[in-house]
Amino acid sequence: MALDYRTVEQFLFREARLADENAYDDWFALWDDHEESVYWVPCNHDDVDPERELSIIYDNMDRLNLRLKRVQTGMAWTQEPKSRVRRIIGNIEISQTEDGMIEVGANFQATEVRVNVNTPFFWHGRYIYRLRPEGDDFRIRLKKVLLLNNDQEMTQLTFLV
């Protein structure tokens, strides 16, 4: 697959929309079922060793699937009712690696609104993706979420960032 900015951009927008709409099965289907696929939200610094230091989220595909299933059962009390979230993505940069993967960086802002909370919460940061081309589409091998405030106290982070 030739590196096409618009195709990558549309993939990121679709991934964000599926997460916004709580379309968990469709969102999970965007992932590569490779054993090295990881959804990672570092804690305290952006470049830590997740095997040796605390992360907010560090999920392989089995753990991510369990996280999604738990939210869908209604047993995640912090997400009953579900947060209303909208993401804005910009400053997208893409490059192709020697092994044919696509590396993507993008800034984001996510606005979260919770029932019985009068003030929206704003999440800001940068997404780092590693995408595997598949036909005219992609599969996510890595999504690393670099929250600007990952070194500060934060509210429950039970929705997809």
Side-chain angles (χ1 to χ4, degrees), residues 41-104:
V41 184
C43 183
N44 295 321
H45 303 284
D46 293 341
D47 291 315
V48 297
D49 179 352
E51 300 291 334
R52 300 175 53 106
E53 298 183 47
L54 182 65
S55 292
I56 298 167
I57 298 171
Y58 186 63
D59 288 350
N60 62 18
M61 290 302 86
D62 289 337
R63 178 72 180 116
L64 181 57
N65 190 36
L66 287 174
R67 179 183 302 278
L68 296 174
K69 296 297 182 202
R70 182 172 172 264
V71 171
Q72 289 173 311
T73 66
M75 299 304 290
W77 63 269
T78 59
Q79 285 299 299
E80 282 302 321
K82 289 180 176 53
S83 294
R84 296 175 60 203
V85 181
R86 287 294 178 259
R87 293 160 182 80
I88 298 172
I89 301 171
N91 298 58
I92 299 169
E93 300 173 298
I94 62 174
S95 63
Q96 194 160 14
T97 64
E98 290 182 13
D99 63 359
M101 299 289 276
I102 308 294
E103 291 189 353
V104 181

Side-chain angles (χ1 to χ4, degrees), residues 77-152:
W77 63 269
T78 59
Q79 285 299 299
E80 282 302 321
K82 289 180 176 53
S83 294
R84 296 175 60 203
V85 181
R86 287 294 178 259
R87 293 160 182 80
I88 298 172
I89 301 171
N91 298 58
I92 299 169
E93 300 173 298
I94 62 174
S95 63
Q96 194 160 14
T97 64
E98 290 182 13
D99 63 359
M101 299 289 276
I102 308 294
E103 291 189 353
V104 181
N107 292 343
F108 76 91
Q109 176 183 330
T111 302
E112 177 190 16
V113 176
R114 292 185 184 178
V115 172
N116 300 325
V117 177
N118 295 328
T119 306
F121 193 82
F122 301 99
W123 302 90
H124 303 274
R126 184 154 182 84
Y127 293 138
I128 305 294
Y129 292 89
R130 189 163 168 81
L131 305 177
R132 180 182 58 79
E134 182 176 270
D136 292 336
D137 207 3
F138 303 97
R139 291 292 169 257
I140 302 169
R141 180 73 56 91
L142 167 72
K143 182 175 182 182
K144 182 177 177 183
V145 182
L146 305 174
L147 293 171
L148 284 179
N149 64 335
N150 71 7
D151 60 348
Q152 299 172 8

